[in-house]
Amino acid sequence: MLTKCTGYSDLRQTTAKQVYPRRLFSPDIPEQMDHARRLRSLRRQMKQRGIDSLLVTHLPDVRYLCGFTGSNAYLAITANRAAMFTDGRYTAQARQETSAAKVVIAAKSARDEACQWLVASGLEHCAFDPGSTTVTELALYRKASSPGHRGFFRPLTESLVPHLRLIKDQDELRLMKEAAHLGVDLFHELLPHLQPGVPETTVAAQLEHSARLRGAEAMSFESIVASGKRSALPHGRATSQRLPRKGFLTLDFGVILNGYCSDMTRTVFLGQPTRRERFTYDAVREAQQAAVAAVKPGVSCGEVDEAARSVLRKAGLAGYFTHSTGHGVGLEIHEAPRIAADQSQSLLPGMVITIEPGVYIADHFGVRIEDMVAVTQDGGQVLTPASTGWTQL
Amino acid sequence: MLTKCTGYSDLRQTTAKQVYPRRLFSPDIPEQMDHARRLRSLRRQMKQRGIDSLLVTHLPDVRYLCGFTGSNAYLAITANRAAMFTDGRYTAQARQETSAAKVVIAAKSARDEACQWLVASGLEHCAFDPGSTTVTELALYRKASSPGHRGFFRPLTESLVPHLRLIKDQDELRLMKEAAHLGVDLFHELLPHLQPGVPETTVAAQLEHSARLRGAEAMSFESIVASGKRSALPHGRATSQRLPRKGFLTLDFGVILNGYCSDMTRTVFLGQPTRRERFTYDAVREAQQAAVAAVKPGVSCGEVDEAARSVLRKAGLAGYFTHSTGHGVGLEIHEAPRIAADQSQSLLPGMVITIEPGVYIADHFGVRIEDMVAVTQDGGQVLTPASTGWTQL
């Protein structure tokens, strides 16, 4: 895999005027997102906060705002102009993918040219996201914009683009449903193949192969396939361990389809369970259903977490539920909001979150059940409609 | 996929005394790395630079130094102590994977507890890597360590852990050879399946499926499968386009095996080439061979880049070589050094780099050939020994 060039800028090929067939890069994106509308929303937020200009560098934020999916991007935004700076590896791709912003192929450094463009705009300040800017990057911004502009770059005091991304628009909801449904289909296809003796890695390989053949760009994280005692590991990646004759099997996986992540978990049982195993499964299922039922605009993330946790507390299992109840999902697998005990953020229509309580009894077994849920006007819609009922193989 | 918990620390289960079978997480790692030796090297560097203590947060750096592979880690290092802070999702995994550092499962925030542990050490300062620390993270370090310790955290002025990782030790070289050889095997297995009419995504799916079945944890980047005119795209991800009857096909892919990345590119031809196509391939191959031959301790990265570029310049193709010649590779797909025109860094024995010149004639075709090369005592060893000769299918 290659890295960008520096130097030899004079030799760089020019493809600005060449016309490429559409969808050369992302054949699966059925249509362009409305980037102009997203930029308008962002500019309204900027204006309300007195922000002259903004430098966006977090790649999912860049993709969200202008469509570009390359690995080197500096998106500079003022009240009436926007320019996306990248390098020569992406000449054709950037021009094809990017809308609502001018594409600039930097001769040397996309970062430096973006900073200089912003300084030359004559505006007083430029904001940046301190949560996605390293200390080194900031020093380089300041170096590129000096002399006389030391204070030009200022950290945002509140989240701006991630805040917009919190509420999915109609285009995004459609794509997220497609990603989630693909996940459900893959799970159903996989069920007949879950037999004692099959290595966990073979299960993962089969799942991921089907995902790829059905259009997924990639998995959204390393698939969790944890069987037998390994089901007690919340993050039990697939290993060479073979599925047991008797015991739980936790499958936690997601696809990336058209850029959007899916995420779901199902725990099935091979063989005949003990009463304790069945009791634990039913308690986790009840906790998961309670949290899904609690999803509604205006309810806080902490309340949704508590809905799951209180069920497990009554069952005497809360001490084994060692993580939070869920998280936002979208272009990234982990986004705002966090569905955790200390979160006062209220749910709003258009958010997409996971609900995934689990119980892990170390060295014995574990159970987790996870759905993706979209917050609607009056409740929540489960996007991953595979049964959560007890499944015995 | 789940996120860490905050709150409910009182309910957290304790598994410190439970014994887990070894290799529960990473069944494919044949043996432990010598983390104690790496920490000793780091401490020597710290001492030479007058650095009391160091906070390491970049996950590949954490893995390199102590073996932990979880997604939340703060590794605090002083002259005689080391502690790795994570959260309750990783209780069992951290204790099993980590060596050379004490494991601390944070009740609430791994970051805050690491900062407090460092401040409580009574040392004057703690260094951090500004290249992998966001502006927000730094503010949180300072908040966690106040009052009275505002200046405690100081940015490193030169690279420390990435500098150590530049030179691969024997354990790493062995694992990198295994990863590279797996890549070569996969390429050879794939060749008979490269037929006109097969979609690029099917090629990628097959490659990735074989990789997974043969033990890879994942691919090291989204596979590039670019056929026909799309071979002119340096980053042409696999699309639904079908392989043509006539034209180039560029395959650029890598696996992650035991944590280490491989990276290789081969460009093959379907059907009968034109003289121009054949001429371009031969020029790229000659450029690639010249750069591989230039690899030797003491030679600068810029000289290696020039070795490839000068061949293409003589062929009149340098204007179509729009990226740098290569990059370091290891636990991450892109590491130091950069093999680019402006890089004065000298090659040293133990470095592993890619050599990957390419020529891209927009809207027509492109060719890239890439090997991984380990710098030895007196030259370079190609780790990806698949033929780079003209391959016509």
Side-chain angles (χ1 to χ4, degrees):
Chain A
M1 200 198 182
L2 35 95
T3 53
K4 74 192 172 76
C5 184
T6 56
Y8 292 95
S9 57
D10 52 327
L11 300 174
R12 201 169 292 273
Q13 72 189 115
T14 305
T15 55
K17 288 171 191 161
Q18 285 158 347
V19 178
Y20 284 88
R22 285 201 54 76
R23 295 156 55 100
L24 198 58
F25 295 95
S26 305
D28 304 312
I29 294 185
E31 61 205 80
Q32 281 284 329
M33 304 282 103
D34 191 349
H35 299 118
R37 195 185 46 66
R38 294 179 187 170
L39 266 182
R40 279 197 301 276
S41 300
L42 176 65
R43 284 183 168 124
R44 267 198 302 277
Q45 301 279 328
M46 287 167 62
K47 195 172 177 188
Q48 280 169 18
R49 287 160 180 77
I51 295 167
D52 281 347
S53 63
L54 179 69
L55 180 55
V56 178
T57 58
H58 185 52
L59 294 173
D61 289 349
V62 171
R63 177 178 185 151
Y64 177 79
L65 291 171
C66 73
F68 179 59
T69 66
S71 67
N72 182 28
Y74 292 79
L75 176 59
I77 300 164
T78 70
N80 45 31
R81 295 202 300 160
M84 200 284 295
F85 296 78
T86 184
D87 64 74
R89 289 171 299 171
Y90 293 110
T91 305
Q93 181 175 339
R95 291 184 205 286
Q96 192 214 341
E97 289 182 342
T98 310
S99 66
K102 178 181 143 188
V103 171
V104 182
I105 304 300
K108 194 142 190 188
S109 158
R111 181 204 305 112
D112 290 358
E113 292 195 24
C115 290
Q116 286 150 15
W117 186 90
L118 282 159
V119 168
S121 68
L123 298 167
E124 289 224 4
H125 301 299
C126 178
F128 66 92
D129 180 354
S132 56
T133 304
T134 66
V135 174
T136 296
E137 273 279 300
L138 177 56
L140 291 170
Y141 294 173
R142 291 189 166 149
K143 194 171 161 200
S145 56
S146 65
H149 294 89
R150 283 286 306 170
F152 183 69
F153 287 100
R154 296 194 173 178
L156 286 167
T157 52
E158 56 186 319
S159 163
L160 218 54
V161 187
H163 186 78
L164 286 179
R165 286 175 49 201
L166 203 55
I167 308 299
K168 272 65 184 174
D169 60 32
Q170 289 307 313
D171 289 334
E172 292 185 290
L173 284 172
R174 183 171 40 75
L175 295 182
M176 293 199 70
K177 281 176 192 171
E178 287 178 17
H181 285 171
L182 175 53
V184 170
D185 287 352
L186 293 171
F187 173 70
H188 286 142
E189 280 175 26
L190 195 62
L191 275 175
H193 302 279
L194 302 175
Q195 309 274 352
V198 177
E200 291 171 351
T201 42
T202 303
V203 174
Q206 183 157 354
L207 178 73
E208 294 165 12
H209 187 54
S210 300
R212 199 67 157 111
L213 287 179
R214 295 187 53 175
E217 290 102 80
M219 304 308 283
S220 48
F221 54 91
E222 200 175 330
S223 303
I224 292 174
V225 181
S227 64
K229 287 186 186 178
R230 293 189 74 259
S231 61
L233 304 171
H235 271 195
R237 303 163 188 144
T239 68
S240 57
Q241 180 171 306
R242 290 168 187 277
L243 303 195
R245 289 180 173 283
K246 186 184 138 7
F248 280 114
L249 166 63
T250 299
L251 296 159
D252 183 355
F253 66 95
V255 299
I256 306 178
L257 184 66
N258 299 318
Y260 283 85
C261 298
S262 81
D263 194 356
M264 70 181 277
T265 307
R266 289 295 183 270
T267 302
V268 299
F269 201 88
L270 293 100
Q272 205 58 38
T274 63
R275 279 181 59 195
R276 188 172 175 227
E277 285 164 338
R278 185 62 205 258
F279 172 82
T280 304
Y281 186 90
D282 290 344
V284 172
R285 186 184 184 211
E286 193 188 330
Q288 204 260 352
Q289 289 179 330
V292 169
V295 170
K296 202 164 77 169
V299 171
S300 79
C301 293
E303 288 172 294
V304 175
D305 182 89
E306 178 57 20
R309 213 167 291 273
S310 66
V311 171
L312 293 174
R313 199 177 294 121
K314 279 175 208 149
L317 292 170
Y320 302 97
F321 177 22
T322 51
H323 54 76
S324 56
T325 292
H327 55 86
V329 57
L331 286 170
E332 291 174 276
I333 184 65
H334 288 150
E335 297 187 355
R338 294 188 51 231
I339 314 300
D342 57 353
Q343 298 293 302
S344 58
Q345 157 97 56
S346 287
L347 294 180
L348 294 166
M351 286 180 174
V352 178
I353 58 175
T354 69
I355 299 288
E356 49 176 315
V359 160
Y360 312 94
I361 302 174
D363 221 16
H364 291 278
F365 62 84
V367 175
R368 180 167 65 256
I369 301 170
E370 173 185 24
D371 281 314
M372 281 169 74
V373 182
V375 184
T376 61
Q377 290 300 328
D378 50 7
Q381 181 192 2
V382 172
L383 302 186
T384 42
S387 166
T388 58
W390 172 260
T391 302
Q392 198 167 330
L393 303 174
Chain B
M1 198 197 183
L2 36 96
T3 53
K4 77 189 169 78
C5 184
T6 57
Y8 292 95
S9 56
D10 51 329
L11 299 175
R12 201 169 294 272
Q13 74 190 110
T14 305
T15 55
K17 288 172 192 161
Q18 285 158 347
V19 178
Y20 283 88
R22 286 201 53 76
R23 295 157 56 97
L24 197 59
F25 295 96
S26 305
D28 305 312
I29 293 185
E31 60 205 82
Q32 281 283 330
M33 304 282 104
D34 190 350
H35 299 117
R37 195 184 48 67
R38 293 177 186 171
L39 266 182
R40 280 198 300 278
S41 300
L42 176 64
R43 285 182 169 125
R44 266 198 302 278
Q45 302 279 330
M46 287 167 61
K47 195 172 177 189
Q48 281 170 16
R49 287 162 181 76
I51 295 167
D52 282 346
S53 63
L54 179 68
L55 179 55
V56 179
T57 57
H58 185 52
L59 294 173
D61 290 349
V62 171
R63 176 178 186 152
Y64 177 80
L65 291 171
C66 74
F68 179 60
T69 67
S71 67
N72 183 27
Y74 291 79
L75 176 59
I77 300 165
T78 70
N80 46 30
R81 295 201 302 158
M84 200 284 295
F85 296 78
T86 184
D87 64 74
R89 288 172 301 171
Y90 293 110
T91 304
Q93 181 176 339
R95 292 187 204 283
Q96 193 215 340
E97 290 182 340
T98 309
S99 66
K102 178 182 144 189
V103 171
V104 183
I105 304 299
K108 193 142 190 186
S109 159
R111 181 202 306 112
D112 291 358
E113 292 195 23
C115 290
Q116 286 149 14
W117 185 91
L118 282 160
V119 168
S121 68
L123 297 167
E124 289 226 1
H125 301 300
C126 179
F128 66 91
D129 180 354
S132 55
T133 304
T134 66
V135 174
T136 296
E137 274 277 300
L138 177 56
L140 291 169
Y141 295 172
R142 293 190 165 147
K143 196 172 160 199
S145 56
S146 64
H149 293 89
R150 283 288 304 172
F152 183 70
F153 287 101
R154 295 192 175 181
L156 287 166
T157 52
E158 55 186 319
S159 163
L160 219 55
V161 188
H163 187 77
L164 286 179
R165 287 174 49 200
L166 203 55
I167 309 298
K168 272 66 185 175
D169 60 32
Q170 290 307 313
D171 288 335
E172 292 186 288
L173 283 172
R174 185 171 38 76
L175 295 182
M176 293 199 71
K177 281 176 191 171
E178 287 177 16
H181 285 172
L182 176 53
V184 170
D185 287 352
L186 294 171
F187 173 69
H188 286 142
E189 281 174 26
L190 195 62
L191 276 176
H193 301 280
L194 301 176
Q195 310 273 352
V198 177
E200 291 171 351
T201 43
T202 303
V203 173
Q206 183 158 354
L207 177 74
E208 294 165 11
H209 186 54
S210 300
R212 199 68 156 111
L213 287 179
R214 297 189 52 177
E217 291 101 83
M219 304 309 282
S220 47
F221 55 90
E222 199 175 333
S223 304
I224 292 173
V225 181
S227 64
K229 285 185 186 178
R230 292 189 75 257
S231 61
L233 304 172
H235 272 197
R237 304 163 186 142
T239 67
S240 57
Q241 180 171 306
R242 291 168 187 275
L243 303 195
R245 290 181 172 281
K246 187 184 140 1
F248 280 114
L249 165 63
T250 300
L251 296 159
D252 183 354
F253 66 96
V255 300
I256 305 178
L257 184 66
N258 299 317
Y260 284 85
C261 297
S262 80
D263 193 357
M264 69 181 277
T265 308
R266 289 294 181 273
T267 302
V268 300
F269 201 88
L270 293 101
Q272 204 61 39
T274 62
R275 279 182 59 193
R276 189 176 174 221
E277 285 164 338
R278 185 63 205 257
F279 172 81
T280 304
Y281 186 90
D282 291 344
V284 171
R285 187 186 182 207
E286 191 187 331
Q288 204 262 349
Q289 289 180 329
V292 169
V295 171
K296 201 164 76 168
V299 171
S300 78
C301 293
E303 288 172 294
V304 175
D305 182 89
E306 178 58 19
R309 213 165 291 273
S310 66
V311 171
L312 293 174
R313 199 177 295 121
K314 279 176 207 147
L317 292 169
Y320 302 97
F321 177 20
T322 51
H323 54 76
S324 57
T325 292
H327 55 86
V329 58
L331 286 170
E332 291 174 275
I333 183 64
H334 288 148
E335 298 188 353
R338 295 188 51 231
I339 313 300
D342 57 353
Q343 298 292 303
S344 58
Q345 157 98 56
S346 286
L347 294 181
L348 294 165
M351 286 181 174
V352 178
I353 59 175
T354 68
I355 299 288
E356 49 177 315
V359 161
Y360 312 94
I361 302 175
D363 220 18
H364 292 277
F365 63 84
V367 175
R368 180 167 64 253
I369 301 170
E370 173 184 25
D371 282 315
M372 280 168 76
V373 182
V375 184
T376 61
Q377 290 301 328
D378 52 5
Q381 181 191 3
V382 172
L383 303 186
T384 41
S387 165
T388 58
W390 173 261
T391 302
Q392 199 167 329
L393 303 174

